[in-house]
Amino acid sequence: KYTMIVPKNTLLLALAALPYAFACSDDLSFTFGQYPYNGSLETRTCEWLTRNNAAHRISKWCNTMNDDGVMVSSGCPATCVGCPTATPSKPPTMTPTPGPTITPTVSSEPTASPTRPPSPAPSPFPTARPSSSPSISPTDRPSIFFSDTPSVEPSSEPSMLPTL
């Protein structure tokens, strides 16, 4: 979901234009067929839908097409679909969206805590950019992997395995 902030005067202007943008009235010249009735041909119009058992006629005819391939509901929108109102059905809520938005929130002050917690354990892989200086506190455990450079000082004890 996305949240859109619109100034109140823009929203009022859009609501005022709504009846003109979505003019909702039946087309008085729209027809969708004829049938014989009392010795003459009766033409089906939007007004015809509202006479004599209107609910049945609307449910039967609004989802059909006329001879020109136009849906009856398009020619008779007020009768078949109903017209939208100029006012919203419910007032908008001020609750936050459940998920993040596309654009970040801009703030001039730092956050109270880091955005990501530190990792719980060292990485199993060496870094792509090694540090420029040695560690401040060396380890008491020997390295598991061989070094590419020789030691600066000799070991205090002999190695168990010969050097290759």
Side-chain angles (χ1 to χ4, degrees):
K1 258 184 172 179
Y2 302 105
T3 301
M4 181 190 290
I5 299 172
V6 179
K8 187 186 276 186
N9 58 349
T10 304
L11 184 61
L12 292 175
L13 179 62
L15 287 174
L18 190 63
Y20 304 105
F22 300 103
C24 183
S25 62
D26 291 339
D27 181 349
L28 299 178
S29 64
F30 184 78
T31 62
F32 52 99
Q34 296 178 325
Y35 66 98
Y37 182 74
N38 286 341
S40 65
L41 284 178
E42 177 85 16
T43 301
R44 293 185 189 102
T45 63
C46 299
E47 191 272 328
W48 174 86
L49 285 170
T50 63
R51 291 185 273 145
N52 302 334
N53 200 358
H56 173 73
R57 286 182 175 185
I58 289 169
S59 67
K60 180 178 179 178
W61 292 99
C62 284
N63 291 323
T64 62
M65 290 187 188
N66 71 358
D67 293 336
D68 296 327
V70 178
M71 289 292 293
V72 173
S73 58
S74 295
C76 308
T79 299
C80 291
V81 182
C83 297
T85 61
T87 57
S89 55
K90 293 181 183 177
T93 61
M94 293 304 291
T95 56
T97 59
T101 58
I102 294 291
T103 56
T105 303
V106 178
S107 175
S108 59
E109 297 183 24
T111 58
S113 61
T115 55
R116 289 175 47 187
S119 59
S123 171
F125 306 103
T127 181
R129 298 180 321 190
S131 58
S132 59
S133 60
S135 302
I136 295 172
S137 55
T139 181
D140 291 332
R141 293 178 291 159
S143 300
I144 297 173
F145 303 104
F146 297 111
S147 172
D148 291 335
T149 57
S151 301
V152 177
E153 295 180 25
S155 307
S156 60
E157 297 178 20
S159 301
M160 297 300 282
L161 300 171
T163 306
L164 300 175

